[in-house]
Amino acid sequence: MIGKLRGTLDEIDEDHCTIDVHGVGYVAYCSSRTLAHLPGSGEAATLFIETYVREDMIRLYGFESALEREWFRLLMNNVQGVGAKVALAILSTLAPADLANAIALRDIATVSRAPGVGKKVAERIVTELKNKAPAFAGAASGTIGLKQELGEGVAPAPIADAVSALVNLGYSRDIAANAVAAALKSAGEGADSSKLIRLGLKELAR
């Protein structure tokens, strides 16, 4: 089982790349996000690998980070109707932290932006992975708890009202929630919605 490849990037195609490891070319299928972050041809490259074995095929899937690979596994193994192609489409559209945020906020519209992901599949992703998102939030781990409360409708009223007010001003729920989370750190848990809105707007203006 191959878990990681380190070698020389041979070529990049539309949905895969070839890495030369001591004269052996390994073809790895990747998200467009991972492909975009690879170095130029002939340069050193490293990919985290998920090896997929079937009776008629062995295929390698490559990822920029171990966290991206974990999300690929989560999507493939826990959500009915999500295969490798759809999982890669999701990871091409959303970075791991953005996906974790969308699931925590129950933001079905954001998840369904990925090609091949309709509303029903997006709802299944949000429902099946809501309890797993915090452990794989990566850069979003600091605000994931608050976003889950917002997504489940159990956030304290001042927080929910502040986020709603920022959303009404045109910010996405994710950006609004990040701003209010930052505002909470300076204002304290007992702050009212007007103070959170004011401090949130200050964060957004930075």
Side-chain angles (χ1 to χ4, degrees):
M1 194 72 73
I2 298 172
K4 191 176 184 180
L5 285 177
R6 182 182 287 119
T8 303
L9 183 64
D10 194 39
E11 63 175 356
I12 299 178
D13 214 317
E14 185 178 341
D15 61 352
H16 65 274
C17 66
T18 304
I19 294 185
D20 186 311
V21 182
H22 302 303
V24 178
Y26 292 88
V27 175
Y29 291 82
C30 308
S31 69
S32 60
R33 187 179 297 276
T34 289
L35 292 174
H37 289 162
L38 286 172
S41 182
E43 296 185 37
T46 300
L47 285 177
F48 293 86
I49 298 294
E50 179 72 3
T51 306
Y52 187 67
V53 180
R54 279 194 347 204
E55 287 183 10
D56 59 339
M57 179 182 71
I58 297 177
R59 179 168 283 191
L60 305 181
Y61 294 97
F63 305 94
E64 180 185 14
S65 66
L67 183 61
E68 187 186 26
R69 181 177 61 186
E70 287 304 318
W71 273 105
F72 180 79
R73 291 171 176 170
L74 283 173
L75 289 162
M76 287 269 290
N77 298 331
N78 293 277
V79 185
Q80 182 186 358
V82 175
K85 185 176 180 180
V86 171
L88 285 180
I90 292 168
L91 293 170
S92 292
T93 306
L94 297 169
D98 296 330
L99 181 54
N101 285 336
I103 291 169
L105 288 165
R106 298 191 62 80
D107 189 349
I108 291 166
T110 292
V111 178
S112 62
R113 277 171 32 207
V117 178
K119 185 180 178 183
K120 286 185 178 179
V121 172
E123 285 176 346
R124 281 204 295 270
I125 290 169
V126 166
T127 301
E128 296 298 329
L129 299 183
K130 66 177 182 178
N131 294 326
K132 296 179 171 63
F136 300 95
S141 59
T143 58
I144 202 76
L146 180 142
K147 289 172 183 176
Q148 280 196 308
E149 290 180 352
L150 288 166
E152 294 168 8
V154 297
I159 294 173
D161 290 346
V163 171
S164 180
L166 294 181
V167 169
N168 289 337
L169 289 174
Y171 297 100
S172 71
R173 283 193 85 203
D174 185 31
I175 290 173
N178 285 338
V180 172
L184 268 173
K185 287 182 181 177
S186 57
E189 295 293 331
D192 60 20
S193 59
S194 61
K195 187 172 186 179
L196 291 176
I197 293 167
R198 188 172 68 255
L199 291 174
L201 285 170
K202 204 179 259 188
E203 287 291 329
L204 290 167
R206 287 184 179 182

